[in-house]
Amino acid sequence: RSLGRYCTVTWYVQPKPANGICPTVTGGGTLYQDNLTNVLEPLHLYPQSLTGDLCVYAVVHLNDGPCTVLTSNIACVQLCGPNTCTITGYDYCYTGTCITPGPLTPVFTSPLNACISTVEWCDPNGIVVSNSLTYTPTQCLSMTNPLTDCYEDFYYTLKINDLCGHRECKARIRLYSDDAPKGTLSVLPFEANTLCPNEDITLNFIPGCDSDDPKTWTWHTRPCDPAGACSPVPNSGTMNENWNTNILSQSAWYYVETQNGVCPVDSVQLLLEVKDPLAIILFDAIPDPCVEQMVNLSISWIPCTVAGCPPGTPCTPCSHTVEWYKDCTLIGTTNEPPGTTSSSFSYTTLPLAGNYYAVVKDDCCPNNEATSQVVEVFPACVPVITGPCFRCENEMVILSDMSVIPPTIPCPYLCSYSWSTSGGIIVGPTNGPSIVADAAGTYDLTTSCVVNGQVCVKTTSYTLIQCQRAVSGVQECAVYVDVEELLPNEVSPVRVFPNPTTGDISIEWNIGSPKNAKLFITDATGRILRTHEIPNTVTQLTTNIDEFAPGMYFIKILSEDKLYEVAKLVKQ
């Protein structure tokens, strides 16, 4: 209180004795605060600078009056400690139904000299709900955004009020969403299913929730077949974001097991579909019956299926490119849209005989292709007549027929034969192996061979020459007159070039043109292989002997009842 005059107030403090009792007699102590003022200045103590309880008294010096010094009693100043607390909260898995938390029991940490305090509980909305030391919530908690948020926290607060001030401790109630994003599993870089055979893939996992600390997940795999067992991927670690599959030949599920807080373990799965290698079902090359117009090529392949899944599981179709080959040379290309499993192509460039095959390529997978078997297309069967070159006097001559694939392969097809003279008169038995010729002249042989259900008709001619009477009047048969022998001192009237040849030859008459002539090409045995009628006005003739085997051949010309051996021809 105010004394109404100037005075000096001196405060003294000293640590409280070990026995815990302040002395009753003043004296001693340490000067703590000394102020000159006209009022009694209160004692200012700062707890943070104190180390224990104190014994305190004041001495007042008056400026006038009979009493100049007044000494107070000794007071005890007790330094009390603040109360603190901790509260263990709860973690729950939220599945869409609200959750009421369990009892909340704080654990107080109070010193021996704790201050007397009061408590109050506040719910997550800040509303005071209790003044008890423990509290059992009654509010049912729900997540606001369970489809997008991994969790949501709610806090109950315990407020402590004492001489040391105001403190709080909180109980965290965390609701983990069972419907939160699990994460994404994808191919890196992105590649759409279905994968190519023997391809290697890098999988990338991005977790949907990162509430775990440390963040962990594990890689697993299982066969495409639902009955297959799953197994951890060895050496894949517990938190690798990327994993390489190495070469894939079978389809399989790959997945990551992850957990959002206390919710059940879940997985993010991805099926890697791998195509079965492309396989050809059938390839064929079918020519027209006489192999003169076209060869129709066709190919079919197995529809796209998924390897390692139940048999016949279809995969995403892709377009295909088909390359067509003849004798190792590309002759054409066709493109088939997705879902198509066959293709065809017609080849019309002569000659048609040769070896055909095709290559089918998956346009989505550069290395997924298949090559067909080779189909050989033979030349058409041609009729061949065998018999003597001449008929002597009135003898009966046998002419035999057969059909061959040039030059000498027996025809594999069913063929029928018919004979006729150049005037169209049918001779001999129909479809017989031979006929008996009783006169010189030209005989025509027609063959009808059934090829792939169609008939190929071919015709050839054979000229049977009657022996000529010599100058002496004696009949001589099979006498050849060589040009060089006939004209020993003259240049040959006929030139054959090139000779030797690989196929094409030209025959040229140097003096005029032959009259009523025929040209024969024979082998070394005298068998006529080819006959050409020579028009009277023609002075040059070109022919091709590609189908002849390499060897020696003879060119003969029948002109005005004389047979000349013009040249020996070498086929290379």
Side-chain angles (χ1 to χ4, degrees):
R1 63 185 180 85
S2 175
L3 299 179
R5 54 183 179 272
Y6 292 103
C7 63
T8 301
V9 180
T10 303
W11 291 92
Y12 293 88
V13 299
Q14 65 181 14
K16 192 175 183 179
N19 60 7
I21 301 175
C22 287
T24 57
V25 179
T26 59
T30 301
L31 178 64
Y32 183 80
Q33 180 178 308
D34 188 8
N35 292 329
L36 179 61
T37 178
N38 62 346
V39 294
L40 292 177
E41 182 69 18
L43 176 63
H44 300 284
L45 294 176
Y46 301 95
Q48 63 270 24
S49 64
L50 302 179
T51 58
D53 297 343
L54 299 175
C55 296
V56 178
Y57 66 93
V59 176
V60 180
H61 295 273
L62 300 176
N63 294 332
D64 58 0
C67 295
T68 59
V69 177
L70 299 175
T71 302
S72 72
N73 63 303
I74 298 176
C76 179
V77 177
Q78 183 176 354
L79 187 66
C80 67
N83 290 289
T84 60
C85 67
T86 59
I87 309 174
T88 301
Y90 296 95
D91 292 338
Y92 296 98
C93 183
Y94 180 75
T95 60
T97 302
C98 66
I99 297 173
T100 301
L104 302 176
T105 302
V107 176
F108 292 96
T109 302
S110 301
L112 295 176
N113 60 342
C115 301
I116 298 175
S117 61
T118 60
V119 299
E120 59 182 9
W121 289 91
C122 295
D123 66 12
N125 297 318
I127 300 173
V128 176
V129 291
S130 175
N131 298 106
S132 302
L133 291 179
T134 62
Y135 174 65
T136 300
T138 58
Q139 184 179 4
C140 198
L141 305 178
S142 296
M143 290 189 65
T144 305
N145 301 303
L147 297 179
T148 58
D149 295 342
C150 296
Y151 62 86
E152 186 173 347
D153 289 336
F154 302 85
Y155 290 92
Y156 286 86
T157 304
L158 177 62
K159 295 181 178 181
I160 303 176
N161 300 295
D162 56 23
L163 294 176
C164 291
H166 170 77
R167 284 165 308 285
E168 295 180 349
C169 55
K170 294 180 179 292
R172 188 197 74 182
I173 309 299
R174 174 167 289 184
L175 303 186
Y176 288 96
S177 175
D178 193 44
D179 295 324
K182 305 299 185 295
T184 57
L185 187 59
S186 59
V187 174
L188 188 68
F190 173 76
E191 183 174 349
N193 272 330
T194 304
L195 305 176
C196 301
N198 300 321
E199 190 173 358
D200 64 324
I201 292 297
T202 296
L203 294 176
N204 172 254
F205 175 66
I206 300 176
C209 292
D210 55 2
S211 57
D212 296 336
D213 192 15
K215 305 171 183 63
T216 62
W217 53 83
T218 54
W219 291 86
H220 297 258
T221 184
R222 64 179 174 85
C224 176
D225 191 331
C230 62
S231 60
V233 174
N235 304 319
S236 62
T238 58
M239 55 186 301
N240 289 337
E241 294 183 356
N242 298 325
W243 181 68
N244 189 274
T245 63
N246 293 322
I247 293 178
L248 293 173
S249 60
Q250 296 289 311
S251 303
W253 286 94
Y254 293 89
Y255 60 97
V256 174
E257 283 193 348
T258 183
Q259 186 174 13
N260 183 26
V262 296
C263 289
V265 174
D266 209 335
S267 64
V268 181
Q269 303 193 26
L270 178 64
L271 174 62
L272 293 185
E273 294 182 339
V274 180
K275 291 182 179 180
D276 277 313
L278 201 152
I280 293 174
I281 300 174
L282 177 66
F283 171 76
D284 208 350
I286 301 177
D288 64 279
C290 293
V291 197
E292 296 173 336
Q293 299 176 12
M294 69 180 64
V295 175
N296 292 319
L297 308 174
S298 62
I299 192 169
S300 59
W301 54 91
I302 295 176
C304 181
T305 54
V306 178
C309 291
T313 300
C315 65
T316 303
C318 187
S319 61
H320 290 82
T321 298
V322 182
E323 296 177 344
W324 307 92
Y325 290 87
K326 175 181 180 285
D327 298 329
C328 299
T329 300
L330 181 66
I331 59 174
T333 301
T334 55
N335 299 99
E336 303 301 339
T340 304
T341 58
S342 64
S343 186
S344 61
F345 177 74
S346 293
Y347 184 60
T348 58
T349 303
L350 299 178
L352 298 177
N355 296 309
Y356 293 85
Y357 65 94
V359 177
V360 182
K361 297 183 177 182
D362 184 338
D363 293 337
C364 298
C365 300
N367 297 324
N368 190 22
E369 62 179 50
T371 302
S372 73
Q373 79 277 16
V374 176
V375 174
E376 183 177 4
V377 173
F378 294 97
C381 294
V382 295
V384 174
I385 303 173
T386 58
C389 297
F390 301 94
R391 175 177 181 268
C392 292
E393 298 184 345
N394 297 320
E395 70 174 324
M396 308 298 278
V397 174
I398 297 177
L399 302 180
S400 300
D401 57 43
M402 65 180 301
S403 186
V404 299
I405 293 177
T408 59
I409 301 174
C411 184
Y413 308 114
L414 179 63
C415 299
S416 61
Y417 304 85
S418 64
W419 292 85
S420 64
T421 64
S422 59
I425 300 174
I426 304 299
V427 296
T430 301
N431 207 27
S434 61
I435 64 168
V436 176
D438 58 0
T442 299
Y443 292 86
D444 296 329
L445 173 63
T446 301
T447 58
S448 300
C449 298
V450 180
V451 182
N452 298 320
Q454 302 182 63
V455 178
C456 174
V457 178
K458 293 281 187 177
T459 301
T460 189
S461 298
Y462 189 91
T463 300
L464 182 61
I465 302 171
Q466 185 72 41
C467 287
Q468 304 300 314
R469 184 178 301 278
V471 177
S472 62
V474 178
Q475 185 79 10
E476 296 179 357
C477 293
V479 175
Y480 293 92
V481 180
D482 188 85
V483 170
E484 296 178 357
E485 182 180 311
L486 182 67
L487 304 171
N489 299 318
E490 299 181 24
V491 178
S492 172
V494 180
R495 185 168 70 97
V496 178
F497 61 93
N499 189 8
T501 182
T502 57
D504 290 326
I505 59 171
S506 294
I507 301 105
E508 183 178 76
W509 286 265
N510 295 324
I511 50 174
S513 61
K515 304 299 182 183
N516 302 320
K518 290 185 179 181
L519 183 144
F520 304 94
I521 301 177
T522 70
D523 60 16
T525 66
R527 182 166 62 98
I528 296 177
L529 303 179
R530 181 173 298 171
T531 302
H532 286 285
E533 298 282 348
I534 303 175
N536 291 340
T537 59
V538 169
T539 60
Q540 181 174 327
L541 178 69
T542 300
T543 187
N544 181 280
I545 58 172
D546 275 340
E547 71 271 21
F548 289 9
M552 180 73 73
Y553 297 89
F554 297 88
I555 296 178
K556 306 176 189 296
I557 296 177
L558 177 64
S559 178
E560 294 183 340
D561 297 329
K562 290 184 176 60
L563 183 66
Y564 299 96
E565 184 175 300
V566 175
K568 295 177 183 178
L569 178 65
V570 177
K571 168 69 184 305
Q572 292 180 330

